[in-house]
Amino acid sequence: METKEQVNTNVEPVKRDVLNADDVARMVPRLGKHPRLIRWLLRFLKIDKVNEIHEHNIDHPGPAFVRGLLTDLDIKLRVDNGQVLDHLPEGAFVTVSNHHFGALDGIILIDLIASHRPRYKVMVNMFLNYISGMRPNFIAVDAMASDDPKKKAVSMKGIKEAIRMVRGGDPVGFFPAGAVGKVNWRLRLKDREWQPNIIRLIDQLNVPVIPIFFHGSNSWWFNFLGVTCWQLRTLRHPAEVFRKRGKTFHVTVGEPISVEEQSRHKGSLAEFGQFLREQTYGLRDK
């Protein structure tokens, strides 16, 4: 087991905060003339708290960083079937997970797997890539499938990196929905449609798949915004993270799905995607 493996964190210098007043001024030039308003926004959206906890852990980027975040937030984990984590497949494998929380399920996922396999990386959207301390375990892509050539280039680079990692024997994680789940008409939180391009990539990688299910959800207000205005929900995200301070997260780890078992459900891309989704959501009641 590769518990002593080190992550290469010398790719680029890390930024000690996540988002500061200068960043906001560059993103929204009209606000550049109103520094007091920017500072108020950073406090109102809890970005100042995000910066504080990021600064506290930034000197140890990678797996130690996410463990530090969970410790500072006093978040505990209840992991069902956790023995799978102590006997992970040798070499490359893939994890697939539901996406009910956003940032926190990504943080917890990295903590669970990278504590055993430090080179493990999770594919995330470009917004989360602002968290410099987690970049050693991130593969950034544009989840919105933007037409911006620069963002498309980032996504292509991310896909190529995932393939390179797996071919080199390292594990990679995916949230196939690509965005945080939404409440359906039965008021039950579920993932959006799992993206065919991610399912296709997993199919091509042809390695064992470990489903991991995150129980629970964010607040009703956050989920309501997910139905009415995703932009406001994105702004609400930091506050949701700090609402979980002192909570216990319930996670269920599934048994690895062998390449042979996967092959029996590859009649079509849709069938394979449905199989992986069912294997993940089937852990909800276990």
Side-chain angles (χ1 to χ4, degrees):
M1 189 175 299
E2 300 173 81
T3 54
K4 301 300 183 180
E5 184 180 359
Q6 296 297 311
V7 176
N8 178 12
T9 59
N10 297 320
V11 176
E12 59 179 298
V14 295
K15 189 169 177 285
R16 299 197 71 83
D17 52 25
V18 175
L19 194 69
N20 58 40
D22 291 337
D23 296 327
V24 174
R26 281 192 296 271
M27 292 176 180
V28 189
R30 291 183 181 179
L31 288 178
K33 299 178 181 179
H34 306 281
R36 293 175 65 182
L37 176 58
I38 293 177
R39 288 195 295 270
W40 178 84
L41 283 171
L42 292 176
R43 291 194 300 272
F44 178 73
L45 297 173
K46 309 298 184 185
I47 300 296
D48 59 334
K49 289 187 175 182
V50 172
N51 287 337
E52 183 178 310
I53 200 171
H54 189 274
E55 163 72 22
H56 185 241
N57 294 284
I58 192 57
D59 291 326
H60 304 283
F65 178 87
V66 294
R67 174 42 37 194
L69 294 184
L70 295 175
T71 299
D72 286 353
L73 290 167
D74 192 26
I75 287 177
K76 299 175 178 62
L77 305 180
R78 170 191 158 194
V79 183
D80 292 342
N81 203 29
Q83 62 267 24
V84 171
L85 302 176
D86 295 322
H87 301 89
L88 292 170
E90 293 185 8
F93 61 87
V94 160
T95 67
V96 292
S97 310
N98 62 312
H99 207 13
H100 285 186
F101 293 97
L104 274 176
D105 40 23
I107 291 170
I108 292 170
L109 182 59
I110 290 172
D111 183 62
L112 290 176
I113 305 297
S115 59
H116 299 269
R117 297 287 297 276
R119 291 178 61 85
Y120 173 74
K121 290 190 178 186
V122 178
M123 186 171 281
V124 301
N125 65 54
M126 295 168 66
F127 182 78
L128 286 179
N129 202 43
Y130 279 101
I131 308 176
S132 300
M134 294 177 67
R135 285 181 187 166
N137 298 103
F138 274 173
I139 298 175
V141 296
D142 179 18
M144 304 304 292
S146 170
D147 291 329
D148 184 332
K150 292 184 178 179
K151 292 183 178 180
K152 277 190 172 183
V154 170
S155 293
M156 286 305 301
K157 180 181 177 182
I159 292 171
K160 289 179 180 178
E161 181 178 359
I163 294 172
R164 177 187 59 76
M165 285 189 62
V166 168
R167 296 292 179 255
D170 294 319
V172 175
F174 298 100
F175 291 102
V180 183
K182 292 179 66 175
V183 174
N184 63 18
W185 65 275
R186 293 180 177 177
L187 299 181
R188 197 171 195 187
L189 184 65
K190 294 195 73 174
D191 267 1
R192 300 162 189 263
E193 179 184 358
W194 281 20
Q195 298 177 70
N197 59 330
I198 296 300
I199 301 302
R200 185 179 297 107
L201 177 57
I202 295 172
D203 181 16
Q204 293 171 350
L205 293 176
N206 207 38
V207 294
V209 174
I210 300 177
I212 298 176
F213 187 82
F214 291 88
H215 300 262
S217 72
N218 285 315
S219 69
W220 70 267
W221 173 239
F222 182 88
N223 291 328
F224 172 75
L225 290 177
V227 176
T228 58
C229 182
W230 68 266
Q231 293 93 337
L232 288 177
R233 185 179 69 167
T234 298
L235 294 176
R236 170 73 187 176
H237 220 127
E240 285 294 313
V241 170
F242 284 95
R243 284 188 77 255
K244 297 296 189 295
R245 188 189 290 273
K247 304 292 185 180
T248 297
F249 274 73
H250 181 194
V251 184
T252 300
V253 182
E255 296 294 328
I257 306 170
S258 68
V259 173
E260 291 72 25
E261 184 177 357
Q262 293 174 49
S263 67
R264 294 194 286 270
H265 301 273
K266 289 186 176 182
S268 68
L269 195 65
E271 178 188 346
F272 185 48
Q274 184 62 24
F275 168 70
L276 293 180
R277 183 174 177 130
E278 288 175 354
Q279 291 299 301
T280 303
Y281 270 84
L283 301 171
R284 186 200 291 265
D285 301 318
K286 291 187 177 181

